[in-house]
Amino acid sequence: LNIAANLVAFLAIIEMFNELIIYLGNRVDVDVSLYIIFEYLFYPFAWLMGVDPEDCRAVGNLIGLKVIGNEFIAYFELIAVKDKISDRSFYIASYALAGFSNLSSIGIQIGGLSA
């Protein structure tokens, strides 16, 4: 129960930061969100993995969601963008999203070890 509560709270904090960034962007007439920041921040990593250049922003967003959130959120988003990216980029992204190397896993470990 402690682990699930930590995970839900962590994901809620991430969404709160996303909404704060959207609000601040709207105040200065800039279209920005945490997901747009992920697209540009993780673009080079997607390109280095061999993703098609036209799909690097979408896959960069997925990698950002996986690192900050967890792989389940990223896989749900991958299903949503499956028709918008090439098959090659889809398969590279599906392998890149596998694993537990994300910040919410650290929260799960802390919750499990402190119990």
Side-chain angles (χ1 to χ4, degrees):
L1 185 64
N2 189 13
I3 295 171
N6 283 338
L7 185 59
V8 169
F10 187 74
L11 294 176
I13 290 171
I14 292 170
E15 189 58 32
M16 181 187 69
F17 281 130
N18 183 40
E19 292 298 322
L20 178 67
I21 291 170
I22 291 171
Y23 172 75
L24 294 174
N26 288 338
R27 300 276 294 169
V28 293
D29 292 330
V30 176
D31 185 30
V32 67
S33 71
L34 194 58
Y35 306 122
I36 293 172
I37 293 170
F38 288 160
E39 288 178 2
Y40 290 105
L41 186 65
F42 291 100
Y43 183 101
F45 297 109
W47 182 78
L48 287 172
M49 287 188 298
V51 173
D52 296 334
E54 60 271 5
D55 299 332
C56 281
R57 284 183 58 197
V59 175
N61 181 25
L62 296 172
I63 294 170
L65 286 173
K66 188 242 193 260
V67 169
I68 301 299
N70 63 27
E71 61 278 352
F72 300 113
I73 297 170
Y75 274 120
F76 283 127
E77 187 66 26
L78 178 63
I79 292 168
V81 299
K82 181 180 180 180
D83 296 332
K84 299 174 186 169
I85 61 175
S86 68
D87 288 340
R88 181 173 189 268
S89 297
F90 174 78
Y91 290 120
I92 291 172
S94 65
Y95 281 107
L97 298 179
F100 296 101
S101 59
N102 52 44
L103 295 178
S104 62
S105 291
I106 294 171
I108 291 170
Q109 287 179 340
I110 291 171
L113 294 174
S114 66

